[in-house]
Amino acid sequence: QIRLVESGGGAVQAGGSLRLSCEVSQYIGQYNYIGWFRQVPGEGREGVAAIWIGGVDTAYLDSVKGRFTVSEDTDSRTVFLQMNSLKPEDSAMYYCASISSQWYLNPPPLQKNLYAYWGQGTQVSVSS
């Protein structure tokens, strides 16, 4: 069982920044990936960014490219999502999730159905 705990959400004004953290209890696959997803009430959960743990591969939703950066600290098993130039449409509950895979996946996937373990989420609210 893999546990993930998100933190760092909050309320900011448009143009501001937040840094989300995802603490992961363990990595168990040959290839491990962490994805960041967001969801607003009444809508589906969409992939925002993903990273290959221990590698250099990342992937981003088009609407966040150039504003969001995903990174990881393998030693502490923490994955970060730096969010800059935030917009009101970025407001959502943000989740991190984990894939433990026997296969190399490139780019890191943004499809939620591929992710087996999920955190409880952290709320991000951006006011105009």
Side-chain angles (χ1 to χ4, degrees):
Q1 184 78 7
I2 298 173
R3 291 182 295 107
L4 301 98
V5 179
E6 304 94 336
S7 61
V12 297
Q13 291 189 328
S17 298
L18 283 173
R19 189 192 197 202
L20 305 184
S21 298
C22 174
E23 295 180 34
V24 186
S25 63
Q26 60 178 332
Y27 297 124
I28 60 177
Q30 182 174 1
Y31 300 98
N32 297 281
Y33 301 86
I34 298 294
W36 284 98
F37 296 80
R38 65 187 181 188
Q39 187 172 21
V40 298
E43 297 186 13
R45 193 169 294 189
E46 67 174 353
V48 174
I51 188 167
W52 173 27
I53 300 301
V56 297
D57 301 339
T58 58
Y60 295 93
L61 181 69
D62 283 347
S63 63
V64 307
K65 286 180 180 178
R67 300 189 298 122
F68 290 12
T69 303
V70 60
S71 62
E72 58 102 2
D73 181 342
T74 305
D75 289 341
S76 68
R77 293 191 303 276
T78 305
V79 177
F80 305 97
L81 184 65
Q82 179 67 43
M83 305 187 296
N84 299 329
S85 302
L86 282 162
K87 304 175 181 180
E89 52 264 42
D90 294 319
S91 298
M93 184 71 79
Y94 281 72
Y95 301 88
C96 61
S98 173
I99 296 174
S100 296
S101 175
Q102 297 179 357
W103 299 279
Y104 173 60
L105 306 173
N106 189 24
L110 295 177
Q111 299 94 329
K112 62 181 183 295
N113 61 310
L114 298 180
Y115 285 81
Y117 301 97
W118 292 82
Q120 294 300 305
T122 185
Q123 180 68 42
V124 171
S125 299
V126 185
S127 59
S128 57

